[in-house]
Amino acid sequence: QVQLVESGGGLVQPGGSLRLSCAASGISFNIYEMGWYRQAPGKQRELVARVTSAGTVNYADSVKGRFVISRDNARTTGYLQMNSLKVEDTAVYYCKASRLVWSYWGQGTQVTVSS
């Protein structure tokens, strides 16, 4: 059974940092692309960042220079380091593992940026 479990969300003040983790099981993690998505209330889910199995990374323009995506294949875990957080980063953050026609989602973790 495939499972993706996110953790690390919470409440943080503007300008603060959080590190999200996505622990994967049931898949050959190293051959999957891993991505982080977010969905704010009333908005569509959007791509935040992704890292391919080869290590190529892409970021949404809104998070470039502030967020860093990484993966540890030995631990089958992906990470999203979020710095200089803004109120508009508030959303539920989801991780996704994908390869060819297969894709799997985590349950999401809430990130709230507020003073």
Side-chain angles (χ1 to χ4, degrees):
Q1 182 181 1
V2 178
Q3 278 194 313
L4 298 178
V5 180
E6 301 100 335
S7 61
L11 173 64
V12 64
Q13 292 186 339
S17 297
L18 284 175
R19 188 194 196 203
L20 304 183
S21 299
C22 174
S25 60
I27 57 173
S28 298
F29 181 77
N30 60 305
I31 64 173
Y32 276 73
E33 175 178 295
M34 203 214 72
W36 287 96
Y37 293 72
R38 67 186 180 187
Q39 187 165 20
K43 295 189 176 181
Q44 289 190 332
R45 191 172 298 188
E46 63 175 0
L47 174 68
V48 175
R50 61 186 171 194
V51 54
T52 69
S53 57
T56 302
V57 300
N58 294 101
Y59 296 95
D61 288 343
S62 59
V63 307
K64 280 181 182 176
R66 300 188 297 122
F67 291 11
V68 178
I69 189 172
S70 62
R71 62 190 298 161
D72 185 336
N73 290 335
R75 297 178 186 268
T76 67
T77 300
Y79 304 97
L80 184 69
Q81 177 67 43
M82 306 187 295
N83 302 317
S84 303
L85 282 160
K86 303 176 181 180
V87 171
E88 52 264 42
D89 294 318
T90 296
V92 178
Y93 283 71
Y94 300 88
C95 66
K96 176 185 176 183
S98 56
R99 173 175 168 77
L100 301 176
V101 298
W102 297 279
S103 64
Y104 306 97
W105 290 90
Q107 83 288 351
T109 185
Q110 176 71 46
V111 171
T112 302
V113 185
S114 175
S115 55

